[in-house]
């Protein structure tokens, strides 16, 4: 019995020691900016995903088990978060019959905000997403924080 336990432990430790650690920051890079005209602004996320990986779209098919990508705005009395826009995602039905919707490569996602402040202020929040490879292996959900300067209106 000890022999089998030792062999099993040996193989488990080898897998742990030689497993490649994949960081979200190595797979998905995001640059944030704010486009503002008068009282309407957009938080812009320029997203680059390395080949053979993808992120789920914001608008997922009904009954999808995937975790949606989203630009979340922290509560702020100076602005009101509105809709999110994204490019047309890649949609398909996987081998289990579930409808999927995701993005590959480079894309721009935006969150509209309405400004109602007489003073300049910061718009802060997170871009949340889950990244998966083409074999279907997904990393845990992740968030990139942002803080952007908005002008008074």
């Amino acid at each position: 019995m000890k022999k089998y336990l030792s062999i099993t432990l040996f193989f488990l430790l080898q897998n742990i020691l030689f497993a490649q650690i994949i960081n979200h920051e190595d797979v998905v890079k995001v640059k944030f900016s704010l486009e503002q005209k008068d009282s309407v602004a957009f938080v812009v996320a320029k997203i680059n995903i390395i080949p053979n990986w993808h992120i789920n779209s914001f608008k997922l098919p009904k009954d999808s088990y995937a975790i949606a990508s989203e630009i979340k705005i922290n509560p702020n009395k100076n602005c009101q978060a509105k809709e999110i826009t994204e490019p047309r995602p890649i949609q398909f039905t996987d081998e289990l019959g579930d409808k999927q919707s995701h993005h590959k490569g480079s894309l721009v996602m935006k969150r509209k905000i309405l400004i109602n402040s007489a003073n300049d202020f910061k718009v802060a929040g997170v871009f949340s997403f889950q990244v998966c490879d083409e074999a279907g292996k997904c990393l845990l959900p992740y968030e990139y924080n942002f803080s952007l300067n908005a002008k008074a209106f």
Side-chain angles (χ1 to χ4, degrees):
M1 184 68 173
K2 279 187 172 183
K3 181 179 179 181
Y4 292 115
L5 183 60
S6 296
I7 291 171
T8 303
L9 188 58
F10 172 76
F11 283 111
L12 282 174
L13 284 174
Q14 268 196 329
N15 286 338
I16 292 170
L17 292 174
F18 294 107
Q20 183 177 5
I21 297 173
I22 301 170
N23 293 316
H24 295 85
E25 295 92 349
D26 295 333
V27 179
V28 177
K29 304 226 185 276
V30 184
K31 291 185 180 179
F32 298 100
S33 62
L34 188 75
E35 297 174 353
Q36 182 177 351
K37 184 173 182 188
D38 301 327
S39 65
V40 178
F42 291 90
V43 172
V44 179
K46 292 183 180 177
I47 305 160
N48 289 301
I49 308 159
I50 65 170
N52 301 317
W53 289 82
H54 64 267
I55 62 171
N56 298 320
S57 61
F58 168 66
K59 293 179 184 171
L60 294 172
K62 184 179 179 186
D63 299 327
S64 174
Y65 61 83
I67 297 171
S69 297
E70 184 174 9
I71 299 172
K72 299 175 187 174
I73 307 296
N74 295 346
N76 188 329
K77 64 179 177 159
N78 298 312
C79 66
Q80 181 181 9
K82 294 299 199 178
E83 67 273 2
I84 293 176
T85 57
E86 65 182 332
R88 184 181 188 99
I90 300 165
Q91 296 183 327
F92 64 97
T93 302
D94 67 16
E95 60 277 350
L96 299 174
D98 293 315
K99 292 181 180 177
Q100 300 296 319
S101 179
H102 65 239
H103 297 285
K104 294 180 178 183
S106 297
L107 67 132
V108 175
M109 190 178 282
K110 296 181 180 184
R111 180 83 189 240
K112 182 178 182 179
I113 58 173
L114 300 180
I115 309 291
N116 55 8
S117 176
N119 300 311
D120 293 353
F121 65 99
K122 295 221 180 259
V123 176
V126 296
F127 170 63
S128 62
F129 63 96
Q130 184 174 33
V131 63
C132 303
D133 67 12
E134 297 308 310
K137 180 179 70 177
C138 298
L139 302 181
L140 292 173
Y142 190 74
E143 294 181 341
Y144 276 110
N145 294 308
F146 62 85
S147 180
L148 304 165
N149 295 319
K151 298 289 184 191
F153 179 76

